[in-house]
Amino acid sequence: FTNQGSTQLAVDSSVLGIRSQRATITTDLLQTITMLSGVPVSSAAFVTCSSNSVPTASTAGLMCFAVKNSLLTRGAQYSGTLSVFDGFGPGGGATISRIRALMDSSLNSKTVPGNF
């Protein structure tokens, strides 16, 4: 869990050990995770490699980011994401600092009067 500036990032350590389990991601599940972690839904990020989970995360109110998996997502559409990355790491990939900056920018643009 990190807290810098106006955004918070949290990773549930239990998801790091999942290898062969397939679980259905639901709006209720995502909202419950954010509630239990103490992160407001509107300030939470959802990073995925699957275009199928983006609509669920968007409906839950999370800011969505996608990381392309070249073998699985050729031609996939990621509508509803703030950004789509080609991979992880420096050089244009998804990094915590890059995602945090995009989240801050999105939050700030929503609070400016006259910005719709």
Side-chain angles (χ1 to χ4, degrees), residues 5 8 16 23 27 29-30 32 46 51 54-55 60 66 69 72 75-76 80-81 83 97 105 108 112:
Q8 299 175 348
L16 300 176
T27 301
L29 173 67
L30 294 172
T32 300
F46 183 79
S51 61
V54 171
N69 177 334
L72 300 175
T81 60
S83 186
S97 59
S105 176
N108 291 335
V112 175

Side-chain angles (χ1 to χ4, degrees), residues 5 10 20 26 29 32 40 49 61 65 69 103 105:
S20 63
T26 65
L29 173 67
T32 300
C49 293
F65 300 89
N69 177 334
M103 291 174 70
S105 176

Side-chain angles (χ1 to χ4, degrees), residues 6 10 13 22 28 45-46 62 72 75 81 90 114:
S6 61
S13 59
R22 287 267 182 190
D28 288 339
F46 183 79
L62 284 85
L72 300 175
T81 60

Side-chain angles (χ1 to χ4, degrees), residues 46 48 64-67 78 80-85 92 98-99 102:
F46 183 79
T48 183
C64 299
F65 300 89
V67 179
Y78 293 98
T81 60
L82 287 176
S83 186
V84 178
F85 300 99
R98 192 168 286 128
I99 290 171
L102 290 166

Side-chain angles (χ1 to χ4, degrees), residues 38-54:
V39 177
V41 173
S42 61
S43 298
F46 183 79
V47 181
T48 183
C49 293
S50 169
S51 61
N52 297 334
S53 57
V54 171

